[in-house]
Amino acid sequence: MQLFIDESGDLGGVKSGKRYFVVAGVICEEEEVSHTLKPLLQEFDLPELKFNRLSYDEKKLALLKLATLDFSIAYSVLSKNDETLKE
């Protein structure tokens, strides 16, 4: 099993302009994912799968192929408006 973690946003305080900080993790069998992911990366000519770089049709194709895989997802969303986070 492999764990892949990514984040979005930042914890830069009120000046950052981002309201949320998100951390997500995917647990999967690396070999199984590799057989699906590598051809997608080649097709989209990308070093990594970044959905903000894909067209709507490419996103649909990627999600259809990734949906066939066995994986688990965990995530945490932190709101910068939360007083505990501000401390």
Side-chain angles (χ1 to χ4, degrees), residues 17-87:
K18 305 272 185 180
R19 184 173 174 192
Y20 299 101
F21 179 71
V22 180
V23 177
V26 176
I27 300 169
C28 59
E29 290 292 339
E30 185 176 13
E31 188 172 316
E32 180 184 355
V33 171
S34 180
H35 290 294
T36 301
L37 194 55
K38 282 183 182 180
L40 276 174
L41 295 175
Q42 289 174 342
E43 183 175 343
F44 300 150
D45 193 29
L46 293 172
E48 63 179 324
L49 191 57
K50 290 282 196 181
F51 272 66
N52 64 342
R53 296 181 184 165
L54 301 179
S55 70
Y56 178 77
D57 288 335
E58 290 170 334
K59 288 175 187 175
K60 284 190 342 184
L61 175 63
L63 288 172
L64 284 171
K65 290 186 177 187
L66 293 173
T68 65
L69 302 172
D70 183 25
F71 59 89
S72 298
I73 299 173
Y75 62 90
S76 179
V77 179
L78 304 174
S79 170
K80 292 186 184 180
N81 295 334
D82 185 288
E83 292 300 320
T84 306
L85 183 61
K86 289 179 181 178
E87 293 174 10

